[in-house]
Amino acid sequence: MIRAVLFDLDGTLLDTAPDLIRAVNRLRALHHLSAVPTAQVRPYVSKGGRAMINAAFPDWDDAAREPLLQPFLDLYREQIVVDTVLFDGFEETLLTLERRGVALAIVTNKPAWLTQPVLIETRLAQRFGVVICGDSLPDKKPHPAPVLEACRLLGVDPAQAVMVGDDARDIEAARAAGTRSVAARFGYCGDDENPDAWNADAVIDRPAQLIDWLDASANTIRPP
């Protein structure tokens, strides 16, 4: 029986790519470079700031790109929620889980100084009893520690939780922690990635399918 659902943030709950890509193109403009197309950077959003910088500055070597990370994050923080929204269908999915009494948590590799403003601006902060960020613990996904800590704080056994994410690291962390896992194909998977090969318990193409999977598997808590 599933008592808790843990969500990745970028590319799973929220479509943050427009604001992140705006920031990376503002950074390029500061270096007198033209904007890169969305398709060039979007598949790397869930992989972190360095991956986005690598995709946006492909002709620069690692030594030249490393100093760009903090300015990129600072630019992103300045305009952190302009076009960021819940993925279509997630509001209804969250309401269903809340009505059923399922505990909700966020487990993200995004640092707290960026995660918290996003959650406040999108009005998600009060809906999640537990938020584990990339700097909350010494280890982050794909290490199982963040998933295990979320379960501990929610007071649920890992076997009674499911981790939902759009990156292989989410599924690897879930498997190592002993939770079930759902891969979100609607997230930021690149063309060279195959969520079906991640060995998740389920792969969904839209948020509502999470509820369908829970119901079909008789996994979800029902209201009294």
Side-chain angles (χ1 to χ4, degrees), residues 5 31 41 48 114 120 122 182:
V5 180
H31 289 274
V41 182
L114 296 175
I120 291 168
T122 56
V182 172

Side-chain angles (χ1 to χ4, degrees), residues 181-199:
S181 59
V182 172
R185 204 197 313 267
F186 54 81
Y188 300 142
C189 301
D191 292 338
D192 59 342
E193 296 179 289
N194 178 17
D196 295 302
W198 296 347
N199 295 318

Side-chain angles (χ1 to χ4, degrees), residues 27-176:
L27 183 63
R28 282 180 60 86
L30 291 176
H31 289 274
H32 309 290
L33 298 171
S34 61
V36 293
T38 294
Q40 181 172 324
V41 182
R42 190 177 189 274
Y44 299 93
V45 168
S46 287
K47 302 187 184 306
R50 283 186 177 83
M52 291 189 66
I53 293 292
N54 292 347
F57 292 82
D59 298 327
W60 294 31
D61 62 27
D62 289 343
R65 287 190 294 235
E66 185 61 26
L68 299 178
L69 179 61
Q70 191 59 50
F72 161 61
L73 296 177
D74 291 338
L75 288 168
Y76 172 54
R77 178 63 183 89
E78 289 176 6
Q79 299 179 0
I80 200 164
V81 178
V82 177
D83 297 311
T84 289
V85 294
L86 279 170
F87 276 101
D88 189 36
F90 242 127
E91 178 60 31
E92 295 80 3
T93 297
L94 291 177
L95 285 172
T96 298
L97 293 171
E98 289 166 343
R99 284 195 299 265
R100 295 181 180 190
V102 177
L104 303 177
I106 289 171
V107 181
T108 176
N109 281 356
K110 202 184 194 86
W113 71 282
L114 296 175
T115 299
Q116 295 300 336
V118 168
L119 296 181
I120 291 168
E121 292 293 325
T122 56
R123 300 183 179 181
L124 288 176
Q126 64 270 30
R127 302 180 73 172
F128 287 85
V130 168
V131 178
I132 305 296
C133 302
D135 50 1
S136 297
L137 301 169
D139 298 299
K140 56 187 178 181
K141 298 176 297 183
H143 197 281
V147 176
L148 290 171
E149 179 66 1
C151 292
R152 184 187 73 80
L153 292 173
L154 290 173
V156 301
D157 188 282
Q160 295 177 311
V162 58
M163 176 76 210
V164 184
D166 72 310
D167 190 88
R169 293 176 300 180
D170 300 311
I171 308 308
E172 183 179 343
R175 190 162 51 246

Side-chain angles (χ1 to χ4, degrees), residues 196-215:
D196 295 302
W198 296 347
N199 295 318
D201 292 287
V203 180
I204 59 175
D205 294 298
R206 60 185 188 277
Q209 289 180 328
L210 174 61
I211 303 299
D212 295 339
W213 175 72
L214 288 168
D215 287 344

